[in-house]
mmCIF file of all heavy atoms in Angstrom:
data_model
loop_
_atom_site.group_PDB
_atom_site.id
_atom_site.type_symbol
_atom_site.label_atom_id
_atom_site.label_comp_id
_atom_site.label_asym_id
_atom_site.label_seq_id
_atom_site.Cartn_x
_atom_site.Cartn_y
_atom_site.Cartn_z
ATOM 1 N N LEU A 1 0.821 -1.213 0.000
ATOM 2 C CA LEU A 1 0.000 0.000 0.000
ATOM 3 C C LEU A 1 0.857 1.265 0.000
ATOM 4 O O LEU A 1 0.526 2.249 -0.673
ATOM 5 C CB LEU A 1 -0.936 -0.010 1.207
ATOM 6 C CG LEU A 1 -2.063 -1.050 1.147
ATOM 7 C CD1 LEU A 1 -2.805 -1.123 2.477
ATOM 8 C CD2 LEU A 1 -3.035 -0.739 0.017
ATOM 9 N N THR A 2 1.948 1.248 0.743
ATOM 10 C CA THR A 2 2.806 2.438 0.752
ATOM 11 C C THR A 2 3.536 2.604 -0.585
ATOM 12 O O THR A 2 3.670 3.728 -1.081
ATOM 13 C CB THR A 2 3.820 2.384 1.906
ATOM 14 O OG1 THR A 2 4.523 1.126 1.887
ATOM 15 C CG2 THR A 2 3.116 2.510 3.256
ATOM 16 N N VAL A 3 3.999 1.501 -1.162
ATOM 17 C CA VAL A 3 4.633 1.582 -2.484
ATOM 18 C C VAL A 3 3.604 2.026 -3.519
ATOM 19 O O VAL A 3 3.913 2.813 -4.430
ATOM 20 C CB VAL A 3 5.255 0.227 -2.868
ATOM 21 C CG1 VAL A 3 5.735 0.245 -4.315
ATOM 22 C CG2 VAL A 3 6.434 -0.100 -1.958
ATOM 23 N N ALA A 4 2.363 1.550 -3.383
ATOM 24 C CA ALA A 4 1.304 1.955 -4.314
ATOM 25 C C ALA A 4 1.032 3.448 -4.211
ATOM 26 O O ALA A 4 0.788 4.125 -5.232
ATOM 27 C CB ALA A 4 0.023 1.164 -4.025
ATOM 28 N N ALA A 5 1.077 3.999 -2.997
ATOM 29 C CA ALA A 5 0.868 5.439 -2.825
ATOM 30 C C ALA A 5 1.953 6.227 -3.545
ATOM 31 O O ALA A 5 1.676 7.228 -4.232
ATOM 32 C CB ALA A 5 0.843 5.786 -1.333
ATOM 33 N N VAL A 6 3.203 5.794 -3.413
ATOM 34 C CA VAL A 6 4.307 6.477 -4.088
ATOM 35 C C VAL A 6 4.187 6.329 -5.603
ATOM 36 O O VAL A 6 4.368 7.294 -6.362
ATOM 37 C CB VAL A 6 5.659 5.918 -3.597
ATOM 38 C CG1 VAL A 6 6.810 6.490 -4.428
ATOM 39 C CG2 VAL A 6 5.865 6.238 -2.121
ATOM 40 N N TYR A 7 3.868 5.124 -6.062
ATOM 41 C CA TYR A 7 3.748 4.884 -7.507
ATOM 42 C C TYR A 7 2.658 5.756 -8.124
ATOM 43 O O TYR A 7 2.854 6.375 -9.179
ATOM 44 C CB TYR A 7 3.451 3.412 -7.763
ATOM 45 C CG TYR A 7 3.279 3.071 -9.232
ATOM 46 C CD1 TYR A 7 4.382 2.926 -10.055
ATOM 47 C CD2 TYR A 7 2.017 2.904 -9.794
ATOM 48 C CE1 TYR A 7 4.241 2.625 -11.412
ATOM 49 C CE2 TYR A 7 1.854 2.605 -11.139
ATOM 50 C CZ TYR A 7 2.971 2.471 -11.935
ATOM 51 O OH TYR A 7 2.825 2.180 -13.275
ATOM 52 N N ALA A 8 1.493 5.805 -7.456
ATOM 53 C CA ALA A 8 0.385 6.602 -7.986
ATOM 54 C C ALA A 8 0.747 8.088 -8.010
ATOM 55 O O ALA A 8 0.436 8.802 -8.974
ATOM 56 C CB ALA A 8 -0.872 6.366 -7.152
ATOM 57 N N ALA A 9 1.408 8.566 -6.947
ATOM 58 C CA ALA A 9 1.815 9.972 -6.918
ATOM 59 C C ALA A 9 2.826 10.261 -8.019
ATOM 60 O O ALA A 9 2.806 11.337 -8.641
ATOM 61 C CB ALA A 9 2.395 10.317 -5.555
ATOM 62 N N LEU A 10 3.710 9.307 -8.260
ATOM 63 C CA LEU A 10 4.712 9.485 -9.314
ATOM 64 C C LEU A 10 4.046 9.572 -10.687
ATOM 65 O O LEU A 10 4.498 10.313 -11.564
ATOM 66 C CB LEU A 10 5.702 8.316 -9.264
ATOM 67 C CG LEU A 10 7.054 8.462 -9.943
ATOM 68 C CD1 LEU A 10 7.832 9.621 -9.350
ATOM 69 C CD2 LEU A 10 7.842 7.169 -9.812
ATOM 70 N N ARG A 11 2.973 8.809 -10.873
ATOM 71 C CA ARG A 11 2.251 8.828 -12.149
ATOM 72 C C ARG A 11 1.352 10.051 -12.302
ATOM 73 O O ARG A 11 0.895 10.359 -13.411
ATOM 74 C CB ARG A 11 1.386 7.568 -12.275
ATOM 75 C CG ARG A 11 2.135 6.254 -12.405
ATOM 76 C CD ARG A 11 2.802 6.123 -13.759
ATOM 77 N NE ARG A 11 1.875 6.241 -14.875
ATOM 78 C CZ ARG A 11 1.264 5.201 -15.459
ATOM 79 N NH1 ARG A 11 1.486 3.969 -14.996
ATOM 80 N NH2 ARG A 11 0.455 5.378 -16.480
ATOM 81 N N ASP A 12 1.084 10.716 -11.192
ATOM 82 C CA ASP A 12 0.154 11.849 -11.205
ATOM 83 C C ASP A 12 0.814 13.094 -11.798
ATOM 84 O O ASP A 12 1.666 13.710 -11.168
ATOM 85 C CB ASP A 12 -0.332 12.131 -9.779
ATOM 86 C CG ASP A 12 -1.242 13.345 -9.705
ATOM 87 O OD1 ASP A 12 -1.769 13.756 -10.765
ATOM 88 O OD2 ASP A 12 -1.417 13.877 -8.595
ATOM 89 N N GLU A 13 0.409 13.427 -12.979
ATOM 90 C CA GLU A 13 0.892 14.649 -13.622
ATOM 91 C C GLU A 13 -0.301 15.547 -13.927
ATOM 92 O O GLU A 13 -0.470 16.046 -15.035
ATOM 93 C CB GLU A 13 1.671 14.300 -14.878
ATOM 94 C CG GLU A 13 2.934 13.482 -14.590
ATOM 95 C CD GLU A 13 3.690 13.086 -15.837
ATOM 96 O OE1 GLU A 13 3.168 13.368 -16.943
ATOM 97 O OE2 GLU A 13 4.785 12.511 -15.726
ATOM 98 N N GLY A 14 -1.146 15.707 -12.909
ATOM 99 C CA GLY A 14 -2.350 16.500 -13.071
ATOM 100 C C GLY A 14 -3.603 15.668 -13.208
ATOM 101 O O GLY A 14 -4.699 16.203 -13.407
ATOM 102 N N SER A 15 -3.454 14.339 -13.077
ATOM 103 C CA SER A 15 -4.585 13.420 -13.225
ATOM 104 C C SER A 15 -5.324 13.245 -11.909
ATOM 105 O O SER A 15 -4.728 12.865 -10.895
ATOM 106 C CB SER A 15 -4.091 12.060 -13.723
ATOM 107 O OG SER A 15 -5.081 11.074 -13.572
ATOM 108 N N ALA A 16 -6.628 13.476 -11.925
ATOM 109 C CA ALA A 16 -7.436 13.269 -10.721
ATOM 110 C C ALA A 16 -7.462 11.796 -10.335
ATOM 111 O O ALA A 16 -7.519 11.457 -9.153
ATOM 112 C CB ALA A 16 -8.857 13.784 -10.952
ATOM 113 N N LEU A 17 -7.403 10.911 -11.340
ATOM 114 C CA LEU A 17 -7.442 9.472 -11.068
ATOM 115 C C LEU A 17 -6.227 9.034 -10.267
ATOM 116 O O LEU A 17 -6.353 8.379 -9.225
ATOM 117 C CB LEU A 17 -7.503 8.697 -12.385
ATOM 118 C CG LEU A 17 -7.395 7.165 -12.251
ATOM 119 C CD1 LEU A 17 -8.548 6.613 -11.413
ATOM 120 C CD2 LEU A 17 -7.351 6.508 -13.636
ATOM 121 N N TRP A 18 -5.033 9.393 -10.737
ATOM 122 C CA TRP A 18 -3.822 8.955 -10.037
ATOM 123 C C TRP A 18 -3.697 9.608 -8.658
ATOM 124 O O TRP A 18 -3.239 8.978 -7.703
ATOM 125 C CB TRP A 18 -2.581 9.245 -10.878
ATOM 126 C CG TRP A 18 -2.414 8.301 -12.018
ATOM 127 C CD1 TRP A 18 -2.526 8.576 -13.348
ATOM 128 C CD2 TRP A 18 -2.119 6.890 -11.933
ATOM 129 N NE1 TRP A 18 -2.319 7.448 -14.100
ATOM 130 C CE2 TRP A 18 -2.065 6.394 -13.254
ATOM 131 C CE3 TRP A 18 -1.904 6.013 -10.883
ATOM 132 C CZ2 TRP A 18 -1.799 5.057 -13.539
ATOM 133 C CZ3 TRP A 18 -1.634 4.682 -11.155
ATOM 134 C CH2 TRP A 18 -1.584 4.203 -12.470
ATOM 135 N N TYR A 19 -4.126 10.855 -8.562
ATOM 136 C CA TYR A 19 -4.096 11.518 -7.254
ATOM 137 C C TYR A 19 -5.052 10.830 -6.288
ATOM 138 O O TYR A 19 -4.711 10.591 -5.119
ATOM 139 C CB TYR A 19 -4.478 12.988 -7.411
ATOM 140 C CG TYR A 19 -4.401 13.788 -6.123
ATOM 141 C CD1 TYR A 19 -3.226 13.848 -5.381
ATOM 142 C CD2 TYR A 19 -5.511 14.485 -5.658
ATOM 143 C CE1 TYR A 19 -3.154 14.583 -4.202
ATOM 144 C CE2 TYR A 19 -5.451 15.224 -4.476
ATOM 145 C CZ TYR A 19 -4.271 15.277 -3.762
ATOM 146 O OH TYR A 19 -4.210 16.000 -2.597
ATOM 147 N N GLY A 20 -6.235 10.491 -6.772
ATOM 148 C CA GLY A 20 -7.197 9.777 -5.935
ATOM 149 C C GLY A 20 -6.675 8.418 -5.509
ATOM 150 O O GLY A 20 -6.866 8.002 -4.355
ATOM 151 N N LEU A 21 -5.992 7.719 -6.417
ATOM 152 C CA LEU A 21 -5.413 6.416 -6.070
ATOM 153 C C LEU A 21 -4.312 6.571 -5.024
ATOM 154 O O LEU A 21 -4.176 5.723 -4.118
ATOM 155 C CB LEU A 21 -4.861 5.735 -7.323
ATOM 156 C CG LEU A 21 -5.902 5.229 -8.328
ATOM 157 C CD1 LEU A 21 -5.222 4.715 -9.588
ATOM 158 C CD2 LEU A 21 -6.753 4.119 -7.699
ATOM 159 N N ALA A 22 -3.510 7.627 -5.128
ATOM 160 C CA ALA A 22 -2.453 7.865 -4.140
ATOM 161 C C ALA A 22 -3.057 8.086 -2.757
ATOM 162 O O ALA A 22 -2.587 7.514 -1.757
ATOM 163 C CB ALA A 22 -1.601 9.057 -4.553
ATOM 164 N N LEU A 23 -4.116 8.905 -2.682
ATOM 165 C CA LEU A 23 -4.762 9.165 -1.396
ATOM 166 C C LEU A 23 -5.452 7.916 -0.863
ATOM 167 O O LEU A 23 -5.431 7.646 0.348
ATOM 168 C CB LEU A 23 -5.773 10.301 -1.542
ATOM 169 C CG LEU A 23 -5.210 11.686 -1.888
ATOM 170 C CD1 LEU A 23 -6.337 12.711 -1.917
ATOM 171 C CD2 LEU A 23 -4.130 12.108 -0.905
ATOM 172 N N ALA A 24 -6.064 7.128 -1.760
ATOM 173 C CA ALA A 24 -6.739 5.900 -1.330
ATOM 174 C C ALA A 24 -5.737 4.902 -0.758
ATOM 175 O O ALA A 24 -5.987 4.269 0.284
ATOM 176 C CB ALA A 24 -7.497 5.285 -2.505
ATOM 177 N N ALA A 25 -4.589 4.744 -1.441
ATOM 178 C CA ALA A 25 -3.562 3.819 -0.945
ATOM 179 C C ALA A 25 -3.027 4.290 0.399
ATOM 180 O O ALA A 25 -2.789 3.477 1.314
ATOM 181 C CB ALA A 25 -2.425 3.701 -1.962
ATOM 182 N N LEU A 26 -2.849 5.594 0.536
ATOM 183 C CA LEU A 26 -2.377 6.151 1.809
ATOM 184 C C LEU A 26 -3.384 5.873 2.925
ATOM 185 O O LEU A 26 -3.004 5.422 4.022
ATOM 186 C CB LEU A 26 -2.164 7.652 1.660
ATOM 187 C CG LEU A 26 -1.833 8.447 2.935
ATOM 188 C CD1 LEU A 26 -0.515 7.986 3.533
ATOM 189 C CD2 LEU A 26 -1.794 9.943 2.634
ATOM 190 N N ALA A 27 -4.673 6.121 2.671
ATOM 191 C CA ALA A 27 -5.704 5.914 3.686
ATOM 192 C C ALA A 27 -5.835 4.441 4.063
ATOM 193 O O ALA A 27 -5.953 4.090 5.243
ATOM 194 C CB ALA A 27 -7.046 6.450 3.180
ATOM 195 N N LEU A 28 -5.794 3.562 3.066
ATOM 196 C CA LEU A 28 -5.876 2.126 3.355
ATOM 197 C C LEU A 28 -4.651 1.660 4.133
ATOM 198 O O LEU A 28 -4.756 0.803 5.019
ATOM 199 C CB LEU A 28 -5.996 1.342 2.049
ATOM 200 C CG LEU A 28 -7.347 1.432 1.339
ATOM 201 C CD1 LEU A 28 -7.270 0.777 -0.039
ATOM 202 C CD2 LEU A 28 -8.448 0.775 2.179
ATOM 203 N N GLY A 29 -3.485 2.208 3.791
ATOM 204 C CA GLY A 29 -2.278 1.857 4.530
ATOM 205 C C GLY A 29 -2.388 2.230 5.993
ATOM 206 O O GLY A 29 -2.054 1.440 6.883
ATOM 207 N N ILE A 30 -2.873 3.426 6.270
ATOM 208 C CA ILE A 30 -3.040 3.864 7.659
ATOM 209 C C ILE A 30 -4.075 2.995 8.359
ATOM 210 O O ILE A 30 -3.932 2.665 9.545
ATOM 211 C CB ILE A 30 -3.434 5.346 7.694
ATOM 212 C CG1 ILE A 30 -2.264 6.201 7.188
ATOM 213 C CG2 ILE A 30 -3.827 5.779 9.108
ATOM 214 C CD1 ILE A 30 -2.610 7.656 6.972
ATOM 215 N N GLY A 31 -5.104 2.577 7.633
ATOM 216 C CA GLY A 31 -6.078 1.659 8.219
ATOM 217 C C GLY A 31 -5.483 0.300 8.522
ATOM 218 O O GLY A 31 -5.875 -0.364 9.483
#
């Protein structure tokens, strides 16, 4: 989940989808 958060943020170049995936992975990781 933490690697997924970094990967999604790295892919995010203005995309709402990748930003949302980064936040989702972060939230699930904390859970």
Side-chain angles (χ1 to χ4, degrees):
L1 290 171
T2 51
V3 172
V6 172
Y7 179 78
L10 199 60
R11 293 289 303 268
D12 177 18
E13 297 178 355
S15 166
L17 174 61
W18 285 112
Y19 183 56
L21 289 174
L23 295 183
L26 173 63
L28 287 172
I30 293 171

